[in-house]
Amino acid sequence: MFSFQVFDHQISRAFQNRFSTQYRCYSVSMLEGPNDRSDVEKGGKIIMPPSALDHLSRLNITYPMLFKLTNKNSDRMTHCGVLEFVADEGICYLPHWMMQNLLLEEGGLVQVESVNLMVATYSKFQPQSPDFLDITNPKAVLENALRNFACLTTGDVIAINYNEKIYELRVMETKPDKAVSIIECDMNVDFDAPLGYKEPERQPQHQEEPTEGEDASSYADMDTGFRAFTGSGNRLDGKTKGIEPSPAPLGPSDIKRGIPNYDFKIGRITFIRNSRPQPKKFVDDDDAVNKFIAFSGEGQSLRKKGRKP
């Protein structure tokens, strides 16, 4: 009998250390005051009344404070942290995306309970729009946005704000539990394919080589770009006679087609100086005899008389 009394005493003590109450919830835009609280929409924390802080301070709860929000009418639940205790009594303010997950309307009742969550080690997200792929470094953007969150719940659709645009991501998986704390944790993040994303179809490129008997007139009909002296002109007397352009037709010899480099290797650049090899010059024997030799000429003098041999 004594053991049962101890057991009952432990259960009652555990319930005394648990915070559980109901509030009417409203979105942050309904919060009265001169200060703009748009920062609450960018995270996963709520605003509670001061009486909740007084009640929590008397309980032996663990920090940071984490709460479980439950909508009993729709049987939907999520987890969150608390940002401030400045709401009116009996009211709490939630981010708009959190109210959508709980299927709550303005003034609906929500059950708030204190919980202890395990630290996250892995999470997987699925963007709800292919526009998320336009972000250069999505992991860095998500890491910066999750600093305003306290915990994650599998199945929730969170909203992050980046470059004045809201991106929604569904939490597909969390480890080691379905609800985890992400405060001061080392968490691996992975992404699933965005909702509605389709892989681009790659069409194989077939290069058709021209046959020998292919008619060159088909190339003459192609647009070859700029052609000199093919424009129209204007006369000073205002007449239009003789100013119509009359471009000369292109002949098969005027069409220059490139020769592909069949020895091309990926990652190698070849600078072709001259495609035609220069002919080798053969030096004749007479040219070798008459080759220039420095300081081998004969000198002349203006005064030849009296010159000593």
Side-chain angles (χ1 to χ4, degrees):
M1 186 68 182
F2 178 74
S3 60
F4 284 100
Q5 292 179 355
V6 173
F7 183 71
D8 294 339
H9 179 69
Q10 291 177 354
I11 293 178
S12 61
R13 185 176 180 181
F15 275 100
Q16 289 178 359
N17 293 335
R18 181 181 176 186
F19 176 84
S20 179
T21 185
Q22 278 191 347
Y23 293 109
R24 292 198 175 273
C25 63
Y26 294 91
S27 59
V28 182
S29 58
M30 304 291 291
L31 180 62
E32 298 180 357
N35 298 329
D36 183 18
R37 302 314 307 267
S38 59
D39 56 333
V40 183
E41 292 287 354
K42 300 178 182 179
K45 299 179 181 180
I46 65 176
I47 296 178
M48 300 175 65
S51 60
L53 177 60
D54 184 42
H55 189 184
L56 288 167
S57 61
R58 298 178 183 179
L59 300 178
N60 187 18
I61 62 173
T62 58
Y63 292 88
M65 299 180 185
L66 301 177
F67 301 93
K68 176 183 176 182
L69 306 182
T70 307
N71 183 6
K72 294 183 178 180
N73 295 330
S74 60
D75 198 17
R76 301 289 293 269
M77 66 92 180
T78 186
H79 297 79
C80 67
V82 60
L83 185 64
E84 290 181 358
F85 296 91
V86 295
D88 296 335
E89 293 299 330
I91 296 176
C92 66
Y93 295 95
L94 279 65
H96 181 66
W97 65 265
M98 194 176 294
M99 295 186 64
Q100 288 182 334
N101 288 333
L102 295 173
L103 301 179
L104 285 171
E105 298 181 355
E106 299 290 342
L109 290 176
V110 60
Q111 184 75 23
V112 181
E113 302 175 11
S114 61
V115 292
N116 297 327
L117 300 179
M118 301 178 65
V119 179
T121 58
Y122 172 81
S123 61
K124 187 176 183 180
F125 299 88
Q126 182 189 31
Q128 299 299 290
S129 174
D131 297 340
F132 189 75
L133 298 177
D134 298 336
I135 301 177
T136 305
N137 193 349
K139 282 193 175 182
V141 173
L142 181 61
E143 180 183 356
N144 186 36
L146 290 181
R147 295 177 181 176
N148 298 322
F149 288 74
C151 47
L152 295 174
T153 306
T154 302
D156 280 358
V157 178
I158 65 174
I160 62 174
N161 192 347
Y162 178 70
N163 280 350
E164 298 181 356
K165 188 174 182 179
I166 297 177
Y167 298 93
E168 292 185 345
L169 294 92
R170 181 178 295 275
V171 184
M172 302 297 294
E173 183 182 359
T174 56
K175 292 182 181 180
D177 201 356
K178 292 185 177 181
V180 292
S181 172
I182 61 173
I183 298 177
E184 297 181 358
C185 69
D186 186 9
M187 180 178 63
N188 296 325
V189 178
D190 194 8
F191 290 98
D192 201 352
L195 192 65
Y197 173 75
K198 295 182 180 180
E199 287 285 346
E201 298 180 358
R202 296 183 180 179
Q203 299 180 355
Q205 298 180 358
H206 299 285
Q207 296 182 357
E208 299 180 357
E209 297 183 358
T211 59
E212 294 181 357
E214 191 173 359
D215 188 9
S217 60
S218 60
Y219 296 100
D221 297 335
M222 298 172 60
D223 187 9
T224 56
F226 173 75
R227 294 177 61 187
F229 307 109
T230 57
S232 61
N234 295 318
R235 295 179 50 161
L236 295 177
D237 54 4
K239 297 181 180 180
T240 59
K241 183 179 179 181
I243 64 173
E244 294 296 331
S246 57
L250 291 176
S253 60
D254 297 333
I255 303 174
K256 297 181 180 180
R257 302 185 64 187
I259 301 176
N261 183 10
Y262 296 102
D263 298 331
F264 173 75
K265 295 181 180 180
I266 298 177
R268 181 178 179 184
I269 301 177
T270 304
F271 297 95
I272 302 176
R273 302 298 182 187
N274 194 346
S275 59
R276 296 181 180 179
Q278 296 293 335
K280 297 181 180 180
K281 296 182 179 180
F282 297 96
V283 181
D284 298 336
D285 295 338
D286 298 337
D287 295 338
V289 175
N290 299 328
K291 187 180 293 184
F292 171 76
I293 301 176
F295 305 106
S296 61
E298 297 179 358
Q300 301 291 336
S301 177
L302 296 177
R303 295 179 62 185
K304 293 184 179 181
K305 295 181 180 181
R307 184 180 180 184
K308 295 181 182 181

